[in-house]
Amino acid sequence: MTTRREFLKKSGQGALLAGASAMVPGIANAANFYNNDINDGLSSEPDNKLNYKPKYKLPFDFGMGGVPFGNEFEQISEKQAFETMEAAWNTGVRLYDVAPFYGLGLAERRYGMFLHNQKREDYVLSTKVGRLLKASKDINDKTLYPMSHSPNNVTYDYSASAVRRSIEDSLQRLGIDSIDIVYVHDVAPDNKWLNGRWKEHFEVATKGAFPELEKMKKEGLIKAWGVGVNTPDPILKVMQVANPDIILMASQYSLIEHKNALNNVFPEVRKNNVSLVMGTNLNAGFLSGSNRYNYGGKPIPQEFLKKREDLLKVAKRHNVDLRTAALQFALYPDVAAAIIPGVKAPYQIKEDWESMNVAIPEAFWLELKSERLIEENAPIKKQV
């Protein structure tokens, strides 16, 4: 096996590509994970898991992320972006994630060009707040998204008034009249643009963004809110000071790294009946063979490079495509509401969709556990 396409074809999923456009609109679960037999690796069910009832449950467990449409990693033409969105829609994808920060407005504008032609009730859209965009002829930092050619400067503001302004701006860029989910974006220690003062900004959000989003939910302007972050501290903290519904947990649950999320974040999420959208499950393409890890982390640690090689060796022995396994792995936990892989071309979103329908042998997962490549208590799929 040399490509994922060959793997999918050998797995009997090739017909999905040809027949994807015939799928019933609005039924966009790529796989019935909630109805399939998942082995969580635990000898007994903890009480908080038995009582876990998410406050907000997404109707779709597979979506599409918006980072590539902001030209973060490479320049994507308007034509290619539109064709990719059209392919996603025709395949059955109805969950979309974006943010003002992605391309400094570019990704939202591109999504809007496509989605404003669709019935609003047919899809779920999430965007983010915390970064206000302000047009200017004098751009402060042209290195943020040099390939987006954006006229916008970025201001970090997690206050209540900024949240209102940000959502109004997003609605205009998107060309739609409502947003389903709003995440407070990157109020976290890894956000280098906060200059080490993330806790101060979090305090502003505690008094401003969080209660304002709760108010907007009660007003019916949004359906759910949470934080969208790459590190665990803000996730644990927001559940202590506010009442989030759903959280975008990026860069924390993948085949490369998942121990902390599994053992420390998931139990608290269950206690608070919060669901998780799992982001960056391929570590920004690292598990697909790219030379980057997450969002620009270089040099890539040798331990991660070695682990990728070890994962590939096991995958080869079991005739499994690693990207396919990584996408499925992220959706196995009971707290996982959805995954939202980023794509840049039509074939990628179609193949990602197909990947969720492929049966992966249980022996593959068991060998990963025996080789200590994934945690012993990591949820896996039982053999059908």
Side-chain angles (χ1 to χ4, degrees):
M1 179 196 315
T2 58
T3 68
R4 179 163 63 143
R5 180 158 295 184
E6 290 174 355
F7 166 74
L8 294 172
K9 187 175 182 180
K10 290 179 180 179
S11 300
Q13 298 299 316
L16 282 176
L17 281 177
S21 60
M23 297 188 67
V24 178
I27 302 177
N29 282 37
N32 296 316
F33 278 84
Y34 296 109
N35 297 322
N36 286 335
D37 200 1
I38 305 297
N39 180 0
D40 64 8
L42 301 176
S43 59
S44 61
E45 298 279 350
D47 290 341
N48 64 319
K49 187 168 183 177
L50 289 171
N51 295 328
Y52 175 57
K53 296 179 181 179
K55 286 176 280 189
Y56 176 80
K57 187 169 181 179
L58 280 169
F60 313 117
D61 60 21
F62 180 88
M64 184 169 68
V67 170
F69 299 131
N71 290 359
E72 176 163 352
F73 304 122
E74 61 184 277
Q75 192 160 1
I76 296 174
S77 68
E78 300 288 329
K79 181 175 182 290
Q80 183 174 328
F82 193 88
E83 288 175 349
T84 304
M85 293 176 187
E86 187 172 44
W89 186 271
N90 290 338
T91 298
V93 178
R94 296 295 184 271
L95 171 63
Y96 305 98
D97 178 73
V98 70
F101 189 55
Y102 303 159
L104 305 183
L106 179 62
E108 283 192 326
R109 292 200 307 273
R110 285 176 162 177
Y111 260 131
M113 282 193 304
F114 182 80
L115 290 177
H116 86 275
N117 292 314
Q118 313 304 328
K119 290 183 180 179
R120 185 61 191 87
E121 63 270 21
D122 286 347
Y123 63 89
V124 172
L125 177 77
S126 60
T127 192
K128 304 173 184 72
V129 296
R131 292 177 171 101
L132 275 178
L133 305 183
K134 298 182 180 179
S136 173
K137 292 183 179 180
D138 183 19
I139 303 302
N140 294 337
D141 191 349
K142 295 182 180 180
T143 66
L144 283 176
Y145 280 91
M147 291 181 287
S148 75
H149 308 296
S150 172
N152 296 316
N153 279 325
V154 178
T155 300
Y156 284 84
D157 194 336
Y158 295 96
S159 67
S161 59
V163 165
R164 289 272 177 177
R165 165 69 185 275
S166 183
I167 290 178
E168 289 173 3
D169 290 350
S170 288
L171 287 171
Q172 289 187 34
R173 283 189 291 268
L174 289 162
I176 58 178
D177 60 10
S178 64
I179 294 170
D180 298 288
I181 305 169
V182 177
Y183 300 115
V184 181
H185 202 191
D186 286 345
V187 57
D190 69 312
N191 186 345
K192 62 183 179 181
W193 294 288
L194 298 184
N195 299 315
R197 298 166 50 213
W198 81 272
K199 289 184 178 179
E200 294 177 34
H201 287 275
F202 193 94
E203 185 63 24
V204 173
T206 298
K207 297 176 181 178
F210 301 161
E212 189 69 10
L213 289 170
E214 191 66 31
K215 181 179 178 182
M216 294 174 75
K217 189 175 70 171
K218 292 178 180 177
E219 292 170 356
L221 299 177
I222 63 175
K223 295 179 181 177
W225 73 273
V227 295
V229 292
N230 301 306
T231 57
D233 290 350
I235 296 176
L236 299 174
K237 196 172 179 65
V238 72
M239 292 185 293
Q240 296 171 357
V241 301
N243 190 32
D245 306 289
I246 187 167
I247 287 171
L248 173 51
M249 186 182 77
S251 308
Q252 299 176 63
Y253 197 82
S254 75
L255 288 174
I256 298 291
E257 290 187 288
H258 55 271
K259 183 177 181 179
N260 186 65
L262 186 63
N263 297 317
N264 297 317
V265 177
F266 289 1
E268 294 304 311
V269 164
R270 291 188 189 101
K271 288 179 185 177
N272 289 275
N273 292 317
V274 173
S275 52
L276 297 175
V277 171
M278 316 293 260
T280 327
N281 317 119
L282 301 172
N283 299 112
F286 178 70
L287 285 169
S288 300
S290 77
N291 61 354
R292 63 176 177 266
Y293 184 79
N294 289 347
Y295 297 108
K298 290 185 178 181
I300 300 173
Q302 279 299 125
E303 62 181 297
F304 295 162
L305 292 168
K306 182 181 184 306
K307 186 168 185 179
R308 181 173 65 178
E309 286 303 309
D310 292 341
L311 288 166
L312 284 167
K313 288 176 183 176
V314 177
K316 185 176 181 180
R317 284 197 290 271
H318 292 272
N319 198 35
V320 169
D321 170 65
L322 190 60
R323 181 184 177 107
T324 294
L327 291 174
Q328 290 198 18
F329 179 75
L331 200 50
Y332 289 159
D334 62 317
V335 294
I339 60 170
I340 47 169
V343 297
K344 64 180 181 180
Y347 77 90
Q348 288 185 329
I349 190 62
K350 292 176 182 177
E351 289 182 357
D352 282 353
W353 176 280
E354 283 194 64
S355 286
M356 305 312 293
N357 292 280
V358 172
I360 294 177
E362 186 178 357
F364 166 74
W365 300 113
L366 294 178
E367 182 170 348
L368 291 186
K369 290 192 176 189
S370 68
E371 294 292 327
R372 299 181 183 274
L373 292 173
I374 63 174
E375 294 299 304
E376 181 61 33
N377 61 332
I380 61 173
K381 187 77 169 291
K382 290 183 179 180
Q383 187 71 52
V384 178

